[in-house]
Amino acid sequence: MQRSDSDALRAPVTVSYARALVRAFGKTRGERDELLKGTGIQLEALDQPGAHMPVSALVVLAANITRRHGELWPLSAASVWSTSLQGALDVATRTAPTIEDALITGARFGSTRAPFIRNRLRRTARAIQIEISPAVAMDDALWHAVALAVSLNVHAVYTQLLEDAIGQATLQFPWAPPADAERLVPHYSCAVKFNAAAFLFDVPKELCARPSPFADPELHAKAIEALEAIEKPRSDSEALTRIVENLIASRLPQRLGEEEAARLVGTSRRTLVRRLAEGGGAFRPLLDAVLRERARVMLAAGTQSRDEMAAALGYTDATSFSRACRRWFAARGVRG
C-alpha cells in the first residue's frame, strides 16, 4: 500500500543524507545554519550515530539548497549519491543473482532507504524499467534536483553491474533539458533522454539476464533480511516517538514545545498527542527522558560544572537542574 503524502513526510529517514548535504554546501557555520533553517534540526544532531529525522526536514533542507545553488546541485555533491549511503540496499542490489533481480530489489526496497520517493517496476516488450516518482509534494525545481541525485545514485550502482554495457541503458526525465545540460555529460555513461513520459531507468531485456558480477547468494539473503526488517510496518507511534526524541535532543539547550514538535513532523498538536498515546507515551515524559539521559552522560563525564550542565539542558539555574537530578537519580545514589 502506498503511503499518503502526510505519512511520507512523517516517515523517519537517516540523518546521513542531511549530514552529507550540509558538509557539501555549508562551508561556514553561517552557511550551515542557513541550510538548516526551517528543518527543525540542530547542526549538532547530524553527528549523532543512528539518528533519524522526519522526511519533511530533509525536504526543507533540499529545498534550501536548491534555492541557493539551482537544480544541478547534485553534480557538486558526490557524497550524497554515493552508493555507500544506501547501506543494505546497495549490498542487496549488487549481490543479486542477475541484473533483473537487481532491478526488482531496487524497485521493491528503494523507498525503504529513501522514503521521499516511490518506485515501480515496469516491463515492456524490450526492457525492464524502474519508474521513480516523488512520495511527497515538491515544486518542479526541487523535484528536478532530487531526481538528479537519485539518477546519479542509480547510475553509480548499474555502472558497476552492467560494466561495459552501461551505455545500452537509459535514464529518462519527463522535462526539458536544463540550460547548462552539458554539465551532465561527464557524470553519465548511459544514455540520457529528456522530455520523456516519466522519470525512469530503462535496461534492455537482453542485459537483464546477465549475472551480477558481484552475485553472492548468502550476502544477498542477509541484506534482503535486513531490508525486510526495516520495511516491516513498525508501529507509526514507535517511529514517531523516535523522531520526537531526536527533535527534542537536537534543539537543546532550547526546549522544544509540543506545538512546534507537531509542526515539524507535519501534523497537528492534537494528532501528535493522540498518536503518541497510541504507543503508550506522551510528549512530556519523552522530554524528561531525553533530559535525564543527557544529564546522566554529563554527570558521568564529570567535566562540567552544575551551572554549565544546567545551561546545556535549558534550565534557568543550577538549583532547578539539581532538583531534577534528585528526582531522576536519588534512588541510584547519583547526586546533582
Side-chain angles (χ1 to χ4, degrees):
M1 179 190 293
Q2 297 279 24
R3 288 175 175 233
S4 69
D5 191 84
S6 59
D7 285 340
L9 282 169
R10 290 192 296 266
V13 62
T14 172
V15 299
S16 58
Y17 290 118
R19 181 167 53 243
L21 286 168
V22 170
R23 287 177 177 172
F25 294 102
K27 302 307 181 185
T28 67
R29 178 65 193 233
E31 288 176 345
R32 293 190 286 272
D33 290 341
E34 190 67 25
L35 292 176
L36 291 173
K37 186 178 292 184
T39 64
I41 301 297
Q42 294 284 335
L43 185 61
E44 294 73 17
L46 299 182
D47 291 322
Q48 295 176 9
H52 286 72
M53 60 197 291
V55 163
S56 57
L58 184 61
V59 170
V60 172
L61 172 59
N64 290 345
I65 295 171
T66 304
R67 278 192 295 272
R68 289 173 64 91
H69 298 280
E71 296 177 14
L72 298 187
W73 61 255
L75 300 181
S76 306
S79 60
V80 179
W81 43 266
S82 163
T83 57
S84 62
L85 274 187
Q86 304 309 313
L89 177 60
D90 174 51
V91 175
T93 303
R94 284 190 297 107
T95 58
T98 66
I99 302 303
E100 179 176 357
D101 292 315
L103 290 165
I104 291 169
T105 299
R108 177 181 172 188
F109 293 108
S111 299
T112 301
R113 187 67 179 175
F116 45 88
I117 61 171
R118 294 190 179 109
N119 301 291
R120 182 164 73 98
L121 194 73
R122 294 174 39 169
R123 298 176 187 271
T124 70
R126 57 159 297 279
I128 297 179
Q129 305 168 331
I130 299 179
E131 181 180 348
I132 305 163
S133 59
V136 299
M138 302 184 198
D139 64 31
D140 286 347
L142 176 57
W143 173 231
H144 294 179
V146 170
L148 180 59
V150 171
S151 75
L152 287 166
N153 176 258
V154 170
H155 179 266
V157 172
Y158 285 90
T159 295
Q160 298 177 60
L161 295 179
L162 291 172
E163 301 177 313
D164 57 344
I166 184 64
Q168 298 178 50
T170 308
L171 274 162
Q172 302 184 21
F173 300 96
W175 46 79
D180 44 359
E182 66 279 358
R183 289 182 57 197
L184 300 176
V185 175
H187 295 273
Y188 294 101
S189 302
C190 66
V192 176
K193 176 184 176 182
F194 287 93
N195 294 314
F199 172 34
L200 52 83
F201 181 59
D202 176 289
V203 181
K205 277 190 174 174
E206 59 266 24
L207 296 182
C208 292
R210 276 191 174 196
S212 166
F214 307 101
D216 184 326
E218 185 176 352
L219 191 53
H220 180 69
K222 288 180 179 177
I224 291 292
E225 185 178 343
L227 289 168
E228 285 176 340
I230 298 170
E231 186 187 50
K232 274 182 190 166
R234 291 166 299 202
S235 83
D236 253 0
S237 56
E238 180 185 338
L240 181 65
T241 296
R242 188 165 58 254
I243 288 174
V244 171
E245 287 174 338
N246 284 328
L247 288 172
I248 290 170
S250 74
R251 279 300 180 89
L252 291 174
Q254 297 176 337
R255 293 289 180 84
L256 182 68
E258 201 168 55
E259 193 75 43
E260 188 177 9
R263 180 183 65 79
L264 290 172
V265 297
T267 191
S268 67
R269 178 181 175 278
R270 184 174 181 179
T271 300
L272 176 68
V273 170
R274 175 177 57 77
R275 292 180 62 217
L276 288 174
E278 287 171 356
F283 184 82
R284 187 70 197 182
L286 285 179
L287 172 63
D288 197 58
V290 171
L291 295 175
R292 181 177 67 245
E293 177 58 18
R294 283 288 183 90
R296 183 192 67 75
V297 171
M298 288 189 293
L299 288 166
T303 58
Q304 294 172 283
S305 68
R306 282 196 313 158
D307 286 330
E308 288 171 333
M309 288 187 284
L313 295 180
Y315 286 97
T316 54
D317 52 58
T319 302
S320 300
F321 172 65
S322 293
R323 260 199 311 270
C325 285
R326 284 195 294 273
R327 174 168 58 84
W328 292 328
F329 307 123
R332 306 179 205 177
V334 179
R335 299 176 58 188

